[in-house]
Amino acid sequence: MLYLWVKALHVISIIAWMAGMLYLPRLFVYHCAAPVGSPQSETFKVMERRLLKAIINPAMIASFVFGIWLLVLEPGWFQQGWLHAKLTFVVGLLAVHGMLAKARKTFEADRNTRSATYYRVINEVPTVLMIGIVIFVIVKPF
Ligand code: HEM
């Protein structure tokens, strides 16, 4: 029973983490079109900071806490290939998270040099990783 409650909290945290990871690059796409110093640009900065600090970062930490807790309750999962594959993709998600956090800082300092197209492409990476992770945990193909 505890296991199922922890799993529910894990999935809830993942939904919040992924929602933020998919929305933040979208904000960057629109931010690219806002002239430096404009009211729109300043509003995007506030939205990006709050999204990262109030949602994405805490949700990522909660996902890890509950995910690791599941492994403590069911250490047998460590022997399974799907978990290794999943954790490899999770490392990819962490890398995207780090890139987005860095990009937010460059926008905040009005020093972004990347194009809207770049952020459109980056937007697809967490989607692809998330699809792989969900297939690994639900289908457990290996
Ligand atoms: C440190 C990171 C993580 C660890 C250690 C971890 C570990 C686990 C474990 C042990 C389970 C239970 C599997 C089962 O009962 O069949 C689970 C379930 C799940 N995980 Fe993670 N996870 C992590 C991150 C993630 C991420 C980043 C995602 C998605 C983007 C994710 C999505 C899911 C989903 C959807 C389930 C539910 C599967 C089901 O309903 O049976 N996890 N996770």
Side-chain angles (χ1 to χ4, degrees), residues 3 7 10-11 14 17-18 64 67-68 70-71 77 82-83 86-87 90 93 130 133-134 137-138 140:
Y3 185 85
K7 187 148 86 171
H10 180 60
V11 173
I14 296 293
W17 186 23
M18 291 310 303
F64 270 69
I68 291 165
L70 288 171
L71 289 178
W77 291 137
W82 66 266
L83 182 73
K86 172 186 174 163
L87 292 181
V90 171
L93 272 183
M130 180 264 293
I133 290 172
V134 171
V137 286
I138 305 278
K140 296 189 174 58

Side-chain angles (χ1 to χ4, degrees), residues 53-71:
K53 305 228 160 166
I55 296 181
I56 303 181
N57 287 347
M60 183 269 285
I61 293 166
S63 308
F64 270 69
V65 168
F66 294 122
I68 291 165
W69 195 350
L70 288 171
L71 289 178

Side-chain angles (χ1 to χ4, degrees), residues 15-87:
I15 289 170
W17 186 23
M18 291 310 303
M21 292 270 281
L22 298 176
Y23 188 40
L24 189 56
R26 268 332 288 176
L27 286 178
F28 292 158
V29 168
Y30 299 126
H31 198 158
C32 284
V36 167
S38 65
Q40 295 97 313
S41 173
E42 296 308 306
T43 304
F44 279 126
K45 286 182 191 178
V46 175
M47 291 169 76
E48 289 154 3
R49 187 178 62 245
R50 289 194 182 150
L51 184 61
L52 187 75
K53 305 228 160 166
I55 296 181
I56 303 181
N57 287 347
M60 183 269 285
I61 293 166
S63 308
F64 270 69
V65 168
F66 294 122
I68 291 165
W69 195 350
L70 288 171
L71 289 178
V72 170
L73 293 172
E74 196 61 61
W77 291 137
F78 272 118
Q79 319 299 330
Q80 311 231 345
W82 66 266
L83 182 73
H84 304 155
K86 172 186 174 163
L87 292 181

